[in-house]
Amino acid sequence: MGCHVDRFDGDGCIKEIVRRILNAQREAVDDCVTSCENSIEDLLSRRVRSRRNETTIPFMLICKESCKPFVGVGFVNDDRNRDRSRRRDFECIESPILRVRDFVRGSKSCVNVELLLPVGRRRDGDHHGKDLGEERGHHDHHHHKDSFCDKFGRRRIDNFRETGVCITLDLDCFCGITCLDPITPEPL
């Protein structure tokens, strides 16, 4: 499988890609077929070919200053029982995988994104009940144990799930973007 590098002239290519991802996602959700290059085209062409309903192009951003992937961090209130009289627990969510939600009104570079967490299966095919980002201790001995990919336990990722953790980013702070294949994230 070859490597495809998008080429753009001028500044703002990341902003333009994120804007195109958002537009493609909106069209996919609205069941329209129109027009990262490969992921955007794939999101739209898969819907025509197979009637699959992918709604999201997950992506990762590369920070300008460090040339390393951006990892978003946030906390979510874990009050599943909705009992307001009990103490609320907060869970820390950390992920480099983002889903564009919308551009901030009136801004060309500030965008709201949601953190997505990977979901995988055990070798027997059953869901293992945890997001891969939470699993530790499984290392592939062919890679350095502190590699970026070890954050996800080096297991197969079948999908990503919504977290409800949204952050606002200034796209002027990034110099690169990596798009993943289109998906429909698992709900909270």
Side-chain angles (χ1 to χ4, degrees):
M1 186 162 129
C3 178
H4 174 75
V5 177
D6 293 323
R7 293 190 180 132
F8 297 93
D9 295 325
D11 293 331
C13 67
I14 295 173
K15 288 184 263 188
E16 182 59 30
I17 291 171
V18 172
R19 191 169 299 283
R20 290 182 63 208
I21 289 170
L22 176 62
N23 289 339
Q25 287 176 182
R26 284 180 176 161
E27 291 173 22
V29 171
D30 294 337
D31 293 327
C32 296
V33 179
T34 59
S35 152
C36 317
E37 296 297 324
N38 288 338
S39 292
I40 294 169
E41 290 173 19
D42 194 30
L43 177 70
L44 298 176
S45 66
R46 279 186 187 191
R47 294 183 54 72
V48 171
R49 286 192 318 260
S50 67
R51 293 290 190 218
R52 291 174 53 172
N53 292 320
E54 283 94 351
T55 61
T56 300
I57 298 172
F59 61 95
M60 296 181 356
L61 295 171
I62 308 299
C63 296
K64 272 185 186 178
E65 297 299 320
S66 68
C67 289
K68 292 184 179 185
F70 169 80
V71 178
V73 179
F75 286 86
V76 65
N77 186 341
D78 188 19
D79 64 345
R80 292 184 189 122
N81 62 7
R82 303 284 186 224
D83 183 357
R84 300 287 180 209
S85 64
R86 296 187 61 186
R87 190 185 88 186
R88 295 181 185 177
D89 294 324
F90 289 89
E91 176 186 1
C92 183
I93 303 292
E94 181 177 33
S95 180
I97 310 300
L98 308 172
R99 172 190 197 181
V100 64
R101 301 301 277 175
D102 209 346
F103 275 79
V104 173
R105 185 177 295 165
S107 175
K108 293 181 180 178
S109 63
C110 289
V111 65
N112 292 315
V113 297
E114 179 180 9
L115 303 182
L116 298 177
L117 286 178
V119 175
R121 296 182 190 273
R122 286 186 271 186
R123 292 182 186 185
D124 62 8
D126 291 335
H127 276 284
H128 59 267
K130 285 197 229 183
D131 296 320
L132 293 177
E134 296 173 2
E135 187 171 296
R136 300 287 183 247
H138 173 23
H139 297 288
D140 181 354
H141 296 292
H142 298 289
H143 297 88
H144 187 269
K145 76 174 192 167
D146 293 327
S147 78
F148 184 76
C149 293
D150 277 333
K151 287 190 173 283
F152 298 109
R154 291 206 176 275
R155 297 185 85 179
R156 279 208 172 288
I157 296 172
D158 293 328
N159 199 1
F160 292 87
R161 78 164 173 89
E162 299 171 346
T163 64
V165 176
C166 296
I167 58 176
T168 303
L169 299 175
D170 183 345
L171 295 176
D172 288 332
C173 298
F174 301 97
C175 66
I177 186 168
T178 301
C179 296
L180 285 66
D181 288 339
I183 62 160
T184 297
E186 294 181 10
L188 285 171

